[in-house]
Amino acid sequence: MFVSCNPFDTCGAKSFGFKVAWIERVPAISLQAEVHSGQSLEPSTMFKVLRMRMDELNLDPDVRIHTLLDLIGLEANA
């Protein structure tokens, strides 16, 4: 299994036939709350928005996880 938090890495691995786990380092709900807080957006927020967007190549990861601990037992259930 190929594991990465970079969308471009996961798309590349998926295109070569790997089973892929994508680490979503910022949960979508947390990011939405930050964006819709009514405050001006910091550069770090914009970086998170871009970083958490999956590339549009129709190569979705097999599994989306939030931490490396989520990998425990994953292969046993696959």
Side-chain angles (χ1 to χ4, degrees), residues 1 3-5 21-27 63-72 74:
M1 175 176 279
V3 180
S4 180
C5 61
W22 180 38
I23 303 173
E24 294 180 304
R25 296 192 292 177
V26 179
V63 180
R64 293 172 185 248
I65 61 176
H66 298 288
T67 71
L68 290 174
L69 292 174
D70 295 338
L71 290 173
I72 296 173
L74 192 61

Side-chain angles (χ1 to χ4, degrees), residues 8-76:
F8 53 85
D9 285 339
T10 59
C11 286
K14 191 71 179 168
S15 73
F16 277 92
F18 284 86
K19 184 171 181 179
V20 174
W22 180 38
I23 303 173
E24 294 180 304
R25 296 192 292 177
V26 179
I29 283 191
S30 298
L31 189 55
Q32 287 173 358
E34 196 171 325
V35 169
H36 297 294
S37 68
Q39 299 178 4
S40 61
L41 299 179
E42 298 290 326
S44 62
T45 302
M46 294 307 297
F47 176 75
K48 290 177 200 174
V49 168
L50 294 172
R51 181 78 182 232
M52 293 309 300
R53 186 167 177 241
M54 183 53 69
D55 292 338
E56 296 178 14
L57 300 172
N58 294 324
L59 296 167
D60 292 329
D62 297 295
V63 180
R64 293 172 185 248
I65 61 176
H66 298 288
T67 71
L68 290 174
L69 292 174
D70 295 338
L71 290 173
I72 296 173
L74 192 61
E75 275 300 308

